[in-house]
Amino acid sequence: MRVVPRPVWSAGLRGVVSTVEKEGALWGLRHPPALLEALTPQPELFASAFASAGVRLVFRSDTSKLRIRGRLIPGVEGVPATIDVIVDGNLHHPWRWDARPGPWAIELGLPHVRERRFEIYLSHAHALGLTSVEVREGSALEPYQTLGPRLWFMGDAVAQGLESHHPALTYAAEAARRAGLDFINAGVSGTVAGQLPALPPMTPLERIFVGFGSQDWESGQDPQGILTVARTLECRGAPVAIVEPPPWPEREGLENGRGRTLDAFRNVLRSWEDGPHRRVVKSALHLSRDPERYCGSHPTEDGQVTLGAAAASLLGRSGRRPTSILGNAVLRPAG
């Protein structure tokens, strides 16, 4: 096996705003460092924000054997660590293990030596740093660099995709894949409308989806605060879509601390009239498999995929379902 130089494979990191060296590994950050520093006094929020949701390694290679090593820092308690490997647009193999801090490694063998497209989705619930990428002797590796529009997904655990068993099947990943666009998942479990992460400067081509779960209603958040955030983002030149809380049959008729039912909460969000640059996704999603644990507010994996399809349709490109976001990069030897 040949170790690929770090500057080569690290150029294929997607879904990050920056990277940081720590414990001998390279960690992809999906939030500005200043935000992570501000969350340090809140360990649970920091652990969620530091997790690798949407972070992926994207490249082309003619190797028939691939080995990736790294380190893990636990994030959301009670959720296993998972890595999804997509080869030529197909989910080839998921790796899942108990999220213990320390080193990890995955190894993949493929039949025949030919050029393939790889997308390695890191855990959406824990932070995975990368220490090395190895390919078969004589093989090449070319990182894929994305050009064009990018999607930002903001919100809480719904956006982060915690109920999904696969980091490649969160609603953010599904929507971006259907639209054929690059994306960053800025979802942070445990946040509410008033704690949305700050975004770095954006280009007019970038789009934002703001997703909220029923916990925003349950915790007594003012839905007008969500609209205020959406208007602020819209003023920065980016189209914005709001995802309303999914159904919660056991609580639909109840009022929260502000005397507002779930349907009344949704109606405030729906008052944000649809237009060319703004939408409200009227979702009908599956609920959590474990309502008591997650407050009944997380869509299941099927619900995540359904929501991803709805989000992609807002881009007007739902009829196009590419199997991969990878382009036709020319393969050349690495290092």
Side-chain angles (χ1 to χ4, degrees):
M1 297 290 285
R2 178 176 69 86
V3 177
V4 179
R6 178 174 291 192
V8 175
W9 60 256
S10 64
L13 270 176
R14 304 266 70 83
V16 303
V17 297
S18 63
T19 58
V20 62
E21 292 272 355
K22 182 178 180 180
E23 299 182 4
L26 185 68
W27 307 79
L29 304 182
R30 56 195 180 94
H31 298 287
L35 171 71
L36 292 173
E37 184 177 349
L39 292 178
T40 302
Q42 304 176 72
E44 290 187 359
L45 289 183
F46 176 85
S48 176
F50 194 59
S52 304
V55 178
R56 58 217 184 272
L57 195 59
V58 187
F59 57 86
R60 303 170 71 90
S61 178
D62 59 354
T63 188
S64 61
K65 192 173 183 180
L66 176 69
R67 183 184 297 136
I68 302 177
R69 303 178 190 272
R71 297 190 66 83
L72 181 147
I73 295 178
V76 180
E77 186 177 353
V79 181
T82 306
I83 292 178
D84 283 341
V85 176
I86 296 178
V87 182
D88 284 341
N90 298 309
L91 184 58
H92 186 83
H93 187 75
W95 275 264
R96 188 171 291 117
W97 69 97
D98 290 339
R100 297 188 180 92
W104 57 267
I106 64 170
E107 189 169 306
L108 178 66
L110 297 165
H112 313 301
V113 175
R114 64 177 178 83
E115 183 180 322
R116 295 178 172 90
R117 302 170 298 178
F118 294 83
E119 300 169 71
I120 316 296
Y121 278 77
L122 303 183
S123 176
H124 52 310
H126 306 281
L128 297 188
L130 300 170
T131 55
S132 69
V133 174
E134 302 170 44
V135 296
R136 199 176 189 90
E137 288 288 348
S139 296
L141 184 148
E142 173 71 11
Y144 176 76
Q145 299 187 16
T146 305
L147 300 175
R150 180 165 57 180
L151 303 176
W152 286 83
F153 294 86
M154 301 177 66
D156 49 28
V158 175
Q160 190 174 350
L162 291 192
E163 188 70 6
S164 176
H165 289 166
H166 294 277
L169 294 179
T170 65
Y171 98 77
E174 180 71 13
R177 188 162 47 248
R178 284 173 178 262
L181 297 173
D182 191 16
F183 77 99
I184 288 182
N185 187 334
V188 179
S189 176
T191 55
V192 290
Q195 299 174 316
L196 279 178
L199 290 177
M202 304 178 64
T203 72
L205 289 176
E206 293 182 313
R207 298 167 171 85
I208 297 176
F209 288 81
V210 183
F212 295 91
S214 306
Q215 59 263 48
D216 292 282
W217 164 81
E218 188 181 33
S219 61
Q221 294 298 304
D222 184 357
Q224 290 292 348
I226 297 175
L227 299 186
T228 299
V229 170
R231 292 188 188 100
T232 300
L233 296 171
E234 187 181 37
C235 288
R236 295 173 64 174
V240 180
I242 292 176
V243 180
E244 68 182 34
W248 194 359
E250 296 84 358
R251 302 289 180 91
E252 287 293 339
L254 303 180
E255 296 182 348
N256 64 6
R258 290 179 177 263
R260 185 177 277 121
T261 64
L262 261 170
D263 205 45
F265 188 94
R266 295 188 191 101
N267 286 336
V268 174
L269 298 184
R270 292 169 184 168
S271 69
W272 201 54
E273 296 178 1
D274 285 359
H277 300 295
R278 50 163 66 176
R279 295 287 172 87
V280 175
V281 179
K282 300 171 178 63
S283 57
L285 304 178
H286 302 282
L287 294 183
S288 168
R289 298 180 183 88
D290 189 351
E292 294 302 320
R293 177 181 176 192
Y294 286 131
C295 303
S297 57
H298 294 187
T300 62
E301 194 161 279
D302 287 344
Q304 288 276 343
V305 173
T306 300
L307 180 53
S313 71
L314 296 181
L315 302 172
R317 304 171 70 173
S318 58
R320 175 173 170 236
R321 177 75 188 276
T323 57
S324 173
I325 64 169
L326 293 167
N328 297 315
V330 177
L331 188 72
R332 59 178 181 270

